[in-house]
Amino acid sequence: EVQLVESGGGLVQPGGSLRLSCVASGFTFSNYAMSWVRQAPGKALEWVSRITSGSRTTEYAGSVKGRFTISRDDAKNTLYLQLNSLKTEDTAMYYCAKVDWSRPYSDHVRGQGTQVTVSS
């Protein structure tokens, strides 16, 4: 059974930073692309970033490019998202997800999420 457990969220002031982590189990983590998605209250799920197996390629939504960095440690079965220069509009529940190239990202298996709140 695929399990994804996110952590690292919290309350931070605008301009601040956070590092999110996602520990994966139940599948061969190193073989899969992984992504981060987020959902703000009352808004649709938004794709944030993706990293392929072996960290060969990383991609970002335009809204976070240059501020967020995705990475992975296959030895620890862990996915990361470094969030810098946070803005109030980054407030959302953040989820890591196991990429399934045959399905839209909204259908990818994801964890329970970690809340990020950006507020002064």
Side-chain angles (χ1 to χ4, degrees), residues 54-70:
S55 302
R56 282 187 290 271
T57 305
T58 58
E59 297 174 87
Y60 299 91
S63 58
V64 308
K65 196 169 186 177
R67 300 188 298 119
F68 292 7
T69 303
I70 192 170

Side-chain angles (χ1 to χ4, degrees), residues 35 97-110:
S35 66
K98 175 177 171 282
V99 172
D100 182 342
W101 297 107
S102 68
R103 294 174 175 269
Y105 72 84
S106 55
D107 289 346
H108 296 171
V109 173
R110 53 185 185 261

Side-chain angles (χ1 to χ4, degrees), residues 82-97:
Q82 178 69 40
L83 289 65
N84 295 332
S85 302
L86 281 161
K87 305 176 181 179
T88 55
E89 53 262 44
D90 295 317
T91 295
M93 186 72 79
Y94 284 71
Y95 304 90
C96 71

